């Protein structure tokens, strides 16, 4: 895979857009939970718009994640800094892989639960949240540690694009 100096503008826009939408989904899901319970009970869904919002935002994440993965495979990503301890570089890599997985798995389990009425998929969706939230926490702490403790431009390169 190619190893450019930094991220491109499209990679940066996709990172922050997906991050914002995922965080939105983690906070705004109550209407969908009620709608799903109504659907399972065979009742008329009360707050259809709230459920629709969670669905549309979630499916947008899936679409953007697919574009992001293609761009990532074609363009690659910059290497981690050598001055960061090996264990933290490994943790950073593992967290990125996990987060990539989640931006696909959360929409897919949610959609399977909603469209097929599968409770087991809803449970996986819920377990997903329990892993995703700490993973985001580790990721954010890692980004801040790179910036303030190791004083490299890991955080800045996710804000400023490079041509190569
Ligand atoms: C980035 C994408 C998504 C995230 C981060 C996300 C997050 C969440 C969270 C945190 C909950 C509450 C879970 C709980 O504590 O019970 C939830 C519930 C739910 N979401 Fe999503 N969601 C996403 C995408 C979707 C999509 C695309 C759909 C459907 C098309 C969907 C359908 C549902 C359903 C049916 C529930 C209710 C499950 C239940 O009550 O057991 N989600 N979602
Ligand atoms: C809001 C707080 C967030 C901050 C401060 C942040 C910061 C960063 C930074 C600085 C990088 C670049 C790391 C490097 O170049 O080595 C990065 C990469 C990444 N972030 Fe975030 N991020 C945040 C939220 C998220 C969220 C919510 C997700 C997904 C759920 C996410 C997924 C990723 C992934 C998958 C990468 C790897 C990119 C690649 O190499 O292709 N980030 N993040």
């Amino acid at each position: 895979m190619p190893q450019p100096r930094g991220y491109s503008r499209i990679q940066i826009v996709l990172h922050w857009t997906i991050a914002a939408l995922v965080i939105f989904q983690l906070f705004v899901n109550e209407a969908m939970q009620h709608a799903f319970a109504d659907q399972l009970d065979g009742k008329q869904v009360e707050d259809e718009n709230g459920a629709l919002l969670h669905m549309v935002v979630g499916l947008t994440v899936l679409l953007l994640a697919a574009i992001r993965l293609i761009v990532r495979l074609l363009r690659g990503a910059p290497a981690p800094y050598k001055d960061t301890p090996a264990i933290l570089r490994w943790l950073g890599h593992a967290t990125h892989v996990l987060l990539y997985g989640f931006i696909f798995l959360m929409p897919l389990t949610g959609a399977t639960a909603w469209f097929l009425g599968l409770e087991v998929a809803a449970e996986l969706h819920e377990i997903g949240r329990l892993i995703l939230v700490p993973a985001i926490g580790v990721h954010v702490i890692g980004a801040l540690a790179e910036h303030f403790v190791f004083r490299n431009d890991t955080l800045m390169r996710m804000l400023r694009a490079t041509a190569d």
Side-chain angles (χ1 to χ4, degrees), residues 1 17 38 43-44 59 68 78 82 90 110 123 132 145 153:
M1 200 178 285
T17 309
D38 288 345
K43 286 198 282 187
Q44 172 79 23
L59 293 176
R68 180 165 173 190
K82 297 254 185 306
W90 177 87
E123 269 159 36
L132 177 60
D153 77 342

Side-chain angles (χ1 to χ4, degrees), residues 22 25-26 29 54-55 58-59 61-62 65 98-114 121-133 136:
V22 167
Q25 289 292 82
L26 290 173
N29 55 56
H54 187 81
M55 183 178 16
L59 293 176
V61 169
L62 182 61
L98 196 69
L99 291 175
Y100 262 114
F102 272 108
I103 55 181
F104 287 93
L105 285 176
M106 286 306 280
L108 287 174
T109 49
T112 309
W114 180 250
E123 269 159 36
L124 290 176
H125 199 63
E126 213 175 310
I127 294 169
R129 176 187 64 116
L130 297 178
I131 305 171
L132 177 60
V133 171
I136 294 175

